């Protein structure tokens, strides 16, 4: 009870005057709630202010997003996606892509090497590969301070990492001396040696790798395959002067013949390598010191066959646009999509100006200038390909109809392919008598003060002045005959060097195309057809282009419809996307066919055309039936032809001529004394 009382008493003491206590509690709660509400509202205001402030900051930061940020973000996304896909590709089993492809398209055919090995073919004749322009790797042996740490690293081929890291240094080292055409002081760049020199141009982009792998299937190896790598920037004779490359090729071929029991070599040149090996065959039989001293029968004793792939025997119009304005169809399209990016000083680097200045020091590019003048390529009012129809429709044989036959001139829209450069579409279409040309040859070359603002990007156009540049445009139209005068006018240093090494007058002097005295040797012209290939251009003139190249392909100009030969300022004909059929096929179709003054011993020639068929799925990569200039190196039919000849077959035994184009008809239109 006492405990109860005490509790009650205690409780009673605490509960004394309960009404007053409840009032006090209510008052306290009211004050607390009021304070809480005040603090809550204060916090809310602070939060709102912070949110408003952060929102304004975000808006301000969004306003600062620039074009450079967008470009960097886009490039970062592309690179991240590329590396992710590359990781997945390397992580998956090697057979997975083939499994997926076969699940979609059905079983894949055996590669030619596997197929022919099953048929019992064995390695017989040694094989020599001659790479073309740009596909061979080049590495640094000596350089300036900006190239520190790059000793024997590839500056051309591979990943091209140095182009992005130090572009101006890269351009400086890849350029040759503008006076001599050889190494600039303090710089030595040399070709990569061995089969790896040109098996892949870049990671995943094969050139010779597929052909090498298929030859290995029938027993070929390093001892009976040889990559005749050379510095493709130099003139052909300068590769001997500086590196003794021609002598090395001669020695290696002699060694391969000796160690194979006297079996002659099969030579497989590609692209500009075709022209390089033609020069070699002349050089090797010429007396020393200018030649190799092999004697008049050297080729007959050492070479079984020359299997030329995509050979630009008569040059390519694309070389003209490259030397004239540092562009071709693809570059012109890029210019149209992103105007100014390639011309102006964006990010401190005037791309096309640097490219022009660099490539005009490469004497090899002059070997690709169209040869034969108007006799071969046509004049103002005619061309061998006139009547060619540029339709994208396919016929029943699954060939591109517009690129494997000739129709009447009315259907072709009267394209005048002989006009390689026209300033304006109206000039390209006019009758020759209506063209008011003003001769540029005697035009005064003024002084241009653009060098004050053009930094180090100085091309020969800046030496011409506005008057000289305007005279080029006023001439209005250029054929193969006047193209040489044009290049002498706009690039005098380059053409002066080239004049000592190359011949362009095929109609009068075909000494560089004359075959050796080797009646048992065979010559193959192997190339793709069925792809629109650059043949002529419509240009525009930009008189206000101080620091920029003043001439551009006019990409706004198109033909009357989608099937017209004029698209984006470029007239197209049949070819392999780089070399027109006329250049790749004429010599084997007519110039060398039978005994002619260009083929005095009657070497047998064969035309092997490969109609282009693009890959059916992305998993096929670049395809096994491609006729494109480089992708044809993976064409199964072409590889099979090469393997059969290397294993001992003749041109007749592999089927003789195989023609899809109108090369024989076009060749007959060329009136050339044989």
């Amino acid at each position: 009870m006492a405990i109860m009382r005490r509790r009650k008493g205690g409780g009673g003491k605490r509960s004394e005057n309960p009404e007053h206590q409840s009032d006090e509690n209510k008052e306290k709660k009211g004050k607390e709630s009021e304070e809480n509400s005040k603090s809550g509202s204060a916090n809310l205001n602070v939060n709102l202010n912070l949110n408003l402030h952060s929102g304004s900051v975000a808006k301000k930061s969004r306003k600062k997003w620039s074009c450079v940020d967008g470009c960097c973000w886009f490039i970062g996304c592309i690179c991240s996606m590329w590396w992710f896909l590359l990781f997945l590709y390397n992580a998956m089993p090697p057979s997975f892509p083939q499994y997926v492809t076969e699940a979609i398209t059905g079983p894949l055919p055996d590669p030619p090497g596997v197929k022919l090995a099953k048929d019992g073919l064995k390695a017989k004749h040694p094989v020599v590969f001659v790479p073309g322009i740009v596909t061979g790797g080049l590495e640094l042996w000596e350089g300036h301070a900006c190239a520190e740490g790059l000793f024997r690293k590839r500056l051309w081929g591979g990943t091209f990492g140095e182009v992005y890291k130090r572009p101006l240094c890269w351009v400086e080292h890849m350029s040759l001396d503008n006076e001599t055409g050889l190494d600039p002081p303090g710089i030595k760049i040399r070709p990569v040696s061995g089969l790896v020199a040109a098996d892949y141009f870049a990671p995943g982009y094969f050139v010779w790798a597929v052909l090498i792998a298929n030859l290995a299937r029938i027993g070929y190896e390093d001892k009976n395959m040889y990559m005749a790598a050379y510095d493709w920037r130099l003139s052909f004779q300068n590769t001997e002067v500086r590196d003794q490359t021609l002598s090395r090729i001669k020695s290696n071929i002699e060694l391969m013949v000796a160690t194979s029991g006297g079996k002659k070599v099969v030579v497989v040149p590609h692209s500009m390598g075709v022209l390089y090996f033609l020069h070699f065959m002349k050089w090797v039989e010429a007396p020393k010191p200018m030649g190799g001293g092999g004697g008049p029968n050297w080729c007959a004793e050492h070479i079984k066959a020359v299997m030329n792939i995509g050979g630009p025997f008569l040059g390519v119009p694309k070389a003209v646009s490259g030397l004239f304005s540092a562009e071709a169809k693809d570059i012109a399209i890029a210019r149209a999509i992103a105007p100014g990016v390639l011309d102006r000083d964006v990010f401190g680097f005037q791309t096309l100006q640097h490219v022009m200045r660099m490539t005009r020091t490469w004497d090899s590019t002059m070997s690709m200038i169209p040869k034969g003048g108007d006799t071969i390529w046509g004049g103002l009012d005619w061309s061998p390909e006139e009547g060619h129809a540029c339709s994208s429709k396919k016929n029943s044989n699954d060939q591109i109809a517009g690129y494997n036959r000739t129709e009447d001139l009315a259907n072709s829209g009267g394209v005048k392919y002989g006009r390689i450069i026209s300033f304006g579409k109206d000039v390209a279409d006019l009758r020759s008598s209506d063209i008011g040309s003003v001769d540029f040859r005697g035009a005064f070359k003024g002084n241009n003060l653009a060098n004050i603002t053009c930094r180090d990007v100085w091309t020969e156009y800046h030496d011409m002045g506005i008057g000289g540049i305007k005279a080029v445009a006023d001439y209005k139209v250029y054929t193969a005959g006047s193209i040489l005068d044009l290049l002498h006018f706009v690039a005098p240093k380059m053409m002066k060097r080239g004049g000592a090494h190359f011949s362009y007058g095929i109609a009068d002097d075909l000494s560089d195309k004359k075959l050796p005295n080797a009646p048992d040797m065979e010559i193959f012209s192997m190339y793709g057809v069925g792809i629109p290939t650059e043949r002529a251009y419509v240009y525009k003139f930009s008189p206000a282009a101080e620091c920029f190249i003043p001439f551009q392909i006019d990409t706004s100009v198109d033909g009357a419809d989608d099937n017209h030969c004029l698209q984006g300022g470029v007239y197209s004909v049949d070819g392999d996307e780089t070399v027109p059929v006329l250049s790749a096929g004429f010599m084997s179709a007519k110039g060398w066919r039978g005994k002619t003054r260009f083929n005095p011993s009657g070497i047998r020639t064969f035309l092997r055309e490969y109609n282009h068929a693009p890959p059916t799925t992305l998993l096929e990569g670049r395809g096994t039936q491609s006729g494109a200039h480089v992708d044809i190196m993976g064409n199964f039919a072409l590889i099979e032809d090469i393997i059969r000849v290397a294993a001992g077959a003749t041109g007749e035994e592999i089927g003789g001529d195989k023609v899809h184009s109108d090369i024989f008809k076009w060749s007959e239109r060329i009136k050339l004394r044989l």
Side-chain angles (χ1 to χ4, degrees):
M1 291 295 293
I3 294 173
M4 293 294 293
R5 284 194 196 100
R6 276 197 294 272
R7 287 181 178 174
K8 188 177 180 181
K13 195 172 183 179
R14 283 194 302 270
S15 61
E16 186 178 3
N17 199 356
E19 291 181 2
H20 177 67
Q21 187 177 3
S22 62
D23 291 339
E24 287 179 354
N25 290 337
K26 287 179 182 178
E27 187 177 351
K28 286 180 181 179
K29 288 180 181 178
K31 288 180 180 180
E32 288 176 0
S33 62
E34 186 178 353
E35 289 174 359
N36 289 337
S37 64
K38 287 180 180 179
S39 63
S41 61
N43 290 335
L44 181 61
N45 290 333
V46 170
N47 289 334
L48 287 172
N49 289 334
L50 286 172
N51 289 335
L52 290 172
H53 179 66
S54 63
S56 63
V57 170
K59 287 179 181 177
K60 288 180 181 178
S61 65
R62 281 195 293 270
K63 288 179 182 177
K64 291 181 180 178
W65 186 268
S66 66
C67 178
V68 175
D69 297 323
C71 290
C72 292
W73 178 86
F74 178 74
I75 293 171
C77 286
I78 294 296
C79 291
S80 299
M81 187 178 298
W82 169 254
W83 285 113
F84 178 69
L85 293 175
L86 193 63
F87 169 77
L88 289 180
Y89 180 80
N90 290 324
M92 69 176 63
S95 59
F96 183 75
Q98 180 179 348
Y99 173 79
V100 175
T101 303
E102 290 184 349
I104 297 173
T105 63
L108 297 177
D110 285 335
V114 175
K115 171 188 170 184
L116 297 177
K118 292 178 180 178
D119 292 342
L121 268 68
K122 300 290 184 184
K124 184 176 182 181
H125 294 275
V127 178
V128 177
F129 309 115
V130 187
I133 192 169
V134 310
T135 54
L138 300 174
E139 60 187 18
L140 181 72
W141 281 80
E142 181 183 344
H144 294 162
C146 66
E148 185 68 29
L150 297 181
F151 176 69
R152 294 207 64 198
K153 297 288 181 64
R154 288 200 185 196
L155 291 191
W156 188 271
T159 61
F160 286 92
E162 300 310 316
V163 180
Y164 316 117
K165 295 177 183 176
R166 29 190 155 184
L168 293 178
C169 181
W170 180 82
V171 168
E172 178 186 7
H173 284 73
M174 285 297 298
S175 300
L176 295 169
D177 187 279
N178 206 23
E179 300 291 338
T180 66
L182 295 169
D183 293 322
I187 294 176
K188 287 184 181 179
I189 289 181
R190 298 294 182 261
V192 177
S193 59
L195 295 176
V196 297
D199 55 351
Y200 287 91
F201 176 64
Y205 192 89
F206 70 82
V207 182
W208 294 91
V210 177
L211 176 57
I212 291 171
N214 278 276
L215 283 166
R217 293 284 191 172
I218 67 165
Y220 280 91
E221 52 186 299
D222 190 60
K223 68 180 182 181
N224 51 11
M225 288 191 291
Y226 165 60
M227 183 72 71
Y230 60 99
D231 190 337
W232 45 261
R233 300 173 301 159
L234 302 175
S235 69
F236 300 160
Q237 190 60 30
N238 274 345
T239 63
E240 174 65 16
V241 171
R242 195 194 73 179
D243 301 334
Q244 295 75 55
T245 303
L246 298 174
S247 295
R248 293 170 188 269
I249 295 173
K250 176 177 180 283
S251 298
N252 275 284
I253 290 177
E254 290 172 346
L255 177 63
M256 295 172 82
V257 171
T259 56
S260 65
K263 296 182 179 67
K264 301 176 186 179
V265 299
V266 172
V267 184
V268 188
H270 173 244
S271 190
M272 193 186 76
V274 169
L275 305 180
Y276 186 69
F277 196 75
L278 279 176
H279 176 82
F280 169 81
M281 288 193 292
K282 276 184 56 185
W283 172 88
V284 73
E285 295 189 344
K288 293 182 177 181
M290 293 303 294
N297 297 319
W298 191 94
C299 291
E301 294 168 355
H302 293 86
I303 302 174
K304 166 185 163 51
V306 183
M307 308 191 75
N308 302 293
I309 304 175
F313 293 103
L314 305 179
V316 290
K318 183 182 282 190
V320 175
S321 62
L323 293 171
F324 185 54
S325 60
E327 61 181 343
K329 182 178 180 180
D330 297 338
I331 299 296
I333 292 173
R335 261 180 160 172
I337 294 173
V341 171
L342 294 177
D343 306 271
R344 298 172 188 162
D345 201 356
V346 177
F347 310 123
F349 190 74
Q350 292 169 289
T351 308
L352 288 183
Q353 288 85 330
H354 283 289
V355 169
M356 172 175 282
R357 193 172 65 170
M358 177 178 68
T359 55
R360 282 190 178 182
T361 68
W362 298 349
D363 288 352
S364 62
T365 57
M366 286 178 279
S367 71
M368 311 284 279
I369 295 173
K371 300 174 181 65
D374 295 357
T375 302
I376 297 293
W377 294 92
L380 293 176
D381 294 317
W382 84 279
S383 68
E385 305 101 325
E386 66 183 18
H388 172 65
C390 299
S391 171
S392 60
K393 296 178 182 179
K394 293 187 177 181
N395 60 24
S396 58
N397 294 324
D398 200 33
Q399 298 174 348
I400 299 178
Y403 290 96
N404 61 7
R405 70 177 191 276
T406 298
E407 297 180 359
D408 59 65
L409 190 60
N411 290 338
S412 70
V415 176
K416 298 175 176 62
Y417 288 113
R419 305 178 185 186
I420 294 179
I421 289 179
S422 303
F423 278 90
K425 185 177 182 298
D426 55 338
V427 174
D429 295 334
L430 283 174
R431 292 180 300 179
S432 58
S433 58
D434 296 333
I435 300 173
S437 296
V438 178
D439 198 347
F440 65 92
R441 294 173 181 87
F444 173 72
K445 291 186 178 183
N447 294 320
N448 192 338
L449 299 179
N451 60 335
I452 298 174
T453 58
C454 289
R455 301 184 180 182
D456 296 327
V457 189
W458 188 255
T459 68
E460 289 174 294
Y461 282 124
H462 302 117
D463 293 326
M464 291 173 56
I466 295 298
I469 290 172
K470 190 173 184 300
V472 170
D474 288 341
Y475 193 72
K476 295 185 179 179
V477 62
Y478 295 86
T479 64
S482 54
I483 282 292
L484 294 177
D485 292 331
L486 170 66
L487 293 176
H488 276 288
F489 189 75
V490 302
K493 290 183 179 179
M494 177 190 73
M495 294 302 290
K496 182 180 179 181
R497 296 193 315 271
H501 299 287
F502 302 108
S503 170
Y504 305 103
I506 185 175
D508 303 317
D509 177 15
L510 196 58
S511 58
D512 63 333
K513 298 294 179 291
K514 189 174 180 179
L515 295 179
N517 182 27
D520 294 332
M521 191 170 76
E522 294 181 329
I523 299 286
F524 295 81
S525 292
M526 313 167 77
Y527 53 89
V529 296
I531 309 178
T533 303
E534 295 170 43
R535 178 64 167 83
Y537 305 90
V538 176
Y539 267 83
K540 62 182 179 181
F541 169 51
S542 302
E546 280 187 351
C547 293
F548 319 126
I549 298 169
F551 308 113
Q552 297 180 9
I553 295 173
D554 191 351
T555 55
S556 65
V557 176
D558 288 315
D561 53 58
D562 291 340
N563 293 331
H564 198 277
C565 296
L566 175 62
Q567 299 291 332
V570 178
Y571 287 99
S572 298
V573 291
D574 193 5
D576 68 359
E577 204 170 31
T578 296
V579 182
V581 164
L582 185 67
S583 180
F586 170 77
M587 293 308 297
S588 286
K590 185 174 182 179
W592 291 330
R593 183 71 46 141
K595 282 191 176 184
T596 70
R597 66 187 177 106
F598 310 127
N599 182 14
S601 65
I603 294 173
R604 288 167 296 175
T605 61
F606 300 95
L607 282 168
R608 302 288 290 177
E609 294 184 345
Y610 303 88
N611 204 51
H612 175 70
T616 55
T617 68
L618 291 175
L619 294 172
E620 285 188 41
R622 290 150 62 192
T624 59
Q625 301 179 65
S626 176
H629 188 64
V630 177
D631 294 353
I632 197 174
M633 302 295 283
N635 185 299
F636 278 10
L638 177 139
I639 292 172
E640 181 171 336
D641 287 346
I642 293 173
I643 293 176
R644 287 187 181 279
V645 172
T650 65
E652 291 294 343
E653 289 171 345
I654 67 169
D657 292 330
K658 183 179 70 173
V659 177
H660 300 285
S661 72
D662 288 315
I663 183 59
F664 286 116
K665 183 183 295 185
W666 295 343
S667 296
E668 286 305 311
R669 293 176 179 173
I670 296 174
K671 305 306 178 184
L672 180 65
R673 182 177 65 85
L674 299 176

